Amino acid sequence: MSFHIRRAVEDDAPALVELRRRLFAETSFMLWEPAEFTSTADDERKRIARLHGRANSLMLVAESASQPVGLLTAVGGELNRLRHSASLALGVARSHWGQGIATALVREAVAWSSTSAIARLELTVHTNNLAAIAVYLRCGFEVEGRRRRSLFVDGAYVDEYLMSRLAAG
Ligand SMILES: CC(C)(COP(=O)(O)OP(=O)(O)OC[C@H]1O[C@@H](n2cnc3c(N)ncnc32)[C@H](O)[C@@H]1OP(=O)(O)O)[C@@H](O)C(=O)NCCC(=O)NCCS
C-alpha cells in the first residue's frame, strides 16, 4: 500500500488524536498508557500550531488512503543552550508496519534537520524494541548510552537506549 509523508496541519488534529489513542493501545513501546491519554482535538490543534511556530520543531504525518497512519514529532529545545537539539518520537499503526513508513518519516526528519540548524537529533527507545532500533540505526543514529530501569512498563522495569544523530560538520 502506498503512503506519503507531509507536515501535519491543524485540521489533522481530530484524526491525530485517534491515531495516538490507537498507537498507545497497540503497543507498550510508547510513553503513555492508554488511559493516561486524555488529549482532545483542540489540545492537538494547539500542539501542532505550537510546534510549527518554532523553527527547531516539526510534526510529520504519514498518510495512506487519506488517513494518518504514522506520526513523528521533533521537539526542539526552548532555551538558547538547547535550541540546536531536537527530541524525536515516532509511531506507526500496527496495520501498516513493515512498509518502510517509519524509515521514511525518520529520513524526512533528518533532511529537515539539516536545513534547520539542528546539530543533534536524539531519542530514547526500549532496549527490546528491535524494529525501532533497526530503523534508527539505518537512519544514522548511534547508541550513546543506556538508561537503566528508566521505565516501569506492564509490571516490570525496562531499560532504554539513548540514541542520537549529529549533523555533519
Ligand atoms: C517501530 C516502528 C515505528 C517501525 O515502523 P515501520 O513503519 O514498521 O518501520 P519500517 O517498515 O520503516 O522498518 C522496520 C524495520 O524493522 C525491522 N524489524 C522488524 N521487526 C524486527 C525485529 N524483531 N528485529 C529486528 N528488526 C526488525 C524490519 O526488518 C524492518 O526493516 P526492513 O525494511 O529491512 O524489513 C513501529 O513498529 C511502531 O510504531 N511501533 C510501536 C511504537 C514504537 O515502537 N515507536 C518507537 C518508539 S522509540
Side-chain angles (χ1 to χ4, degrees), residues 27 29-30 90-92 96-103 124-125 129-132 134-136 138:
T27 80
F29 286 131
M30 303 191 79
L90 167 70
V92 173
H96 288 71
W97 286 2
Q99 298 176 26
I101 294 177
T103 303
T124 57
V125 58
N129 190 351
L130 300 183
V135 169
Y136 298 135
R138 167 190 295 169

